[in-house]
Amino acid sequence: MSLMRSLLLAAAQNRWLRDHATHYSFVRGTVSRFMPGETLDDALGAAQTLRGKNIGTVFTYLGENIKDHSEAQQVAEHYLEVLERIREKGLQTEISVKLTQLGLDFSPDLCFEHLKAILKRAQKDSVIWVDMEASNYVDATLDLYRRALTAHPNVGICLQAYLHRTKDDLSKLLPLRPSIRLVKGAYNEPPEIAFARKRDVDEKYFALGKEMLRAKKENRCVRAAFGTHDVALVRRLADLASAEGFAKKDFEVQMLYGIQRVEQERLASEGCTSIVLVAYGSYWYPWFVRRLAERPANLWFVLRNVFAG
Ligand SMILES: Cc1cc2nc3c(=O)[nH]c(=O)nc-3n(C[C@H](O)[C@H](O)[C@H](O)COP(=O)(O)OP(=O)(O)OC[C@H]3O[C@@H](n4cnc5c(N)ncnc54)[C@H](O)[C@@H]3O)c2cc1C
């Protein structure tokens, strides 16, 4: 892992930086590249614009590791309201939740109740995605995911290709007919837990993606979504899907708001399922710094905003 990436991932966890950096206009200016705004209305506006381009959306309300039960309750209630607003606007937008935001740290049972309430409120043809967080949460997240999937087929899980364990996790999930979003992985993990070299992560991603496509073809996977901006990987997987006779709309790619916009539109215009994850909320600092770590060249945007401001 590059030194810059490690430094940025450490900075993402730094409370002092979080409390101070978010007040600077050049930081806020850069953030606007990756999120349409802090409020749900901003996210809904972006979803409507993207829908005009045949691009679907998934919303995520930013925040991690909340402190008490009442905060978990507030987040769950917020998501219930989001589902109502999506329905009112006639949008097909889905949501993606972090279990730590729903209370995983202090009560997995309470967290499960919140997740169930959200799943019950969602439209049946709309998936509620569960994010995957740092590696110490993987067992608990998969455990709750399996419990939820037993009663609610409309729940999806994120798996991270950089973890050594993911091949096994995928094999164990497939008999349950899951929906899976495959990503490379965004946290700072040691080499015993995660592949460190980009080349290894990319090859792992392709191998797992191939397995997901095979499972989808055999009806053992409901949604096989590729959460990546890696255009070369997307093309390799799209070629494989086409060779296997997949309809275009069954090839699904999810990207983050503001990243690889041309590719998002190209996929949509070809008839593939192109989805953009729209993040909003005032707790954006760690999320934003992880976006910088994924591509340290993004620091140039920060610098440009220093001089612009
Ligand atoms: C829809 C979605 C959901 C996600 N959910 C999770 C999750 O639940 N848990 C988790 O650990 N991670 C999640 N991630 C983040 C993911 O793990 C990666 O950190 C992130 O997607 C960067 O990896 P990449 O696959 O785009 O490939 P990379 O090899 O990092 O990037 C490929 C190319 O994409 C472009 N690019 C990538 N990132 C950026 C960026 N930040 N800014 C500008 N250009 C960029 C660059 O051109 C780069 O060369 C999610 C990502 C997406 C798209």
Side-chain angles (χ1 to χ4, degrees):
M1 191 179 339
S2 79
L3 178 63
M4 183 60 88
R5 179 161 187 259
S6 304
L7 285 173
L8 285 165
L9 286 174
Q13 299 305 320
N14 187 290
R15 190 172 283 265
W16 187 90
L17 278 174
R18 185 189 74 200
D19 292 343
H20 290 78
T22 48
H23 297 299
Y24 289 106
S25 60
F26 65 88
V27 176
R28 300 180 79 86
T30 315
V31 172
S32 62
R33 248 186 89 80
F34 302 106
M35 48 191 278
E38 292 190 358
T39 68
L40 175 58
D41 282 325
D42 294 324
L44 288 163
Q48 273 167 324
T49 307
L50 287 161
R51 185 171 63 171
K53 297 176 180 175
N54 272 332
I55 296 177
T57 35
V58 174
F59 285 176
T60 196
Y61 176 52
L62 295 175
E64 285 160 64
N65 298 79
I66 44 132
K67 290 186 287 305
D68 56 35
H69 289 224
S70 70
E71 277 190 66
Q73 178 77 30
Q74 277 167 25
V75 173
E77 281 168 11
H78 175 76
Y79 275 125
L80 296 179
E81 184 201 334
V82 174
L83 292 172
E84 283 309 315
R85 297 285 308 278
I86 288 171
R87 204 187 308 255
E88 272 165 32
K89 297 256 177 206
L91 290 164
Q92 296 295 312
T93 302
E94 297 179 329
I95 61 173
S96 197
V97 301
K98 277 198 175 13
L99 294 186
T100 54
Q101 245 188 312
L102 294 175
L104 183 63
D105 280 325
F106 39 83
S107 169
D109 284 337
L110 177 91
C111 174
F112 185 59
E113 289 308 312
H114 288 321
L115 180 62
K116 262 192 341 197
I118 293 169
L119 281 161
K120 278 189 192 146
R121 187 70 65 89
Q123 298 174 59
K124 292 294 160 260
D125 56 349
S126 154
V127 168
I128 301 295
W129 296 96
V130 175
D131 284 2
M132 192 57 82
E133 302 179 61
S135 59
N136 52 322
Y137 289 111
V138 176
D139 281 325
T141 303
L142 288 176
D143 185 38
L144 286 198
Y145 176 67
R146 276 187 218 100
R147 280 170 69 189
L149 186 59
T150 317
H152 301 276
N154 62 328
V155 62
I157 183 79
C158 176
L159 293 182
Q160 298 156 322
Y162 68 0
L163 295 183
H164 299 302
R165 60 177 288 170
T166 297
K167 189 177 172 5
D168 277 352
D169 290 335
L170 177 63
S171 310
K172 287 182 195 148
L173 284 177
L174 287 176
L176 307 175
R177 280 197 88 234
S179 284
I180 294 174
R181 174 178 76 215
L182 183 65
V183 302
K184 290 191 186 176
Y187 296 83
N188 203 359
E189 303 290 358
E192 316 82 79
I193 291 185
F195 296 97
R197 289 190 312 177
K198 177 174 160 49
R199 199 179 338 131
D200 295 336
V201 178
D202 290 356
E203 278 319 301
K204 213 52 186 175
Y205 192 106
F206 184 69
L208 292 163
K210 202 166 156 183
E211 186 62 36
M212 282 164 55
L213 287 173
R214 186 177 316 136
K216 180 154 173 67
K217 195 171 174 192
E218 293 164 2
N219 213 14
R220 290 180 291 128
C221 183
V222 179
R223 292 260 296 270
F226 299 109
T228 181
H229 314 98
D230 190 327
V231 177
L233 257 180
V234 168
R235 302 243 159 114
R236 280 175 78 192
L237 288 162
D239 288 347
L240 185 66
S242 145
E244 292 291 330
F246 274 72
K248 290 270 188 198
K249 71 168 178 29
D250 287 334
F251 183 69
E252 174 171 348
V253 180
Q254 299 190 0
M255 296 192 183
L256 302 181
Y257 180 89
I259 302 179
Q260 301 284 25
R261 287 179 195 207
V262 173
E263 185 66 10
Q264 293 168 8
E265 291 179 21
R266 188 191 67 80
L267 285 162
S269 69
E270 279 191 357
C272 300
T273 298
S274 176
I275 293 191
V276 166
L277 187 139
V278 179
Y280 66 95
S282 52
Y283 189 84
W284 43 258
Y285 170 79
W287 182 88
F288 165 66
V289 180
R290 283 204 294 277
R291 304 291 77 83
L292 296 182
E294 281 157 6
R295 190 167 175 256
N298 284 338
L299 286 167
W300 286 112
F301 296 118
V302 182
L303 278 178
R304 222 159 56 193
N305 280 313
V306 174
F307 294 111

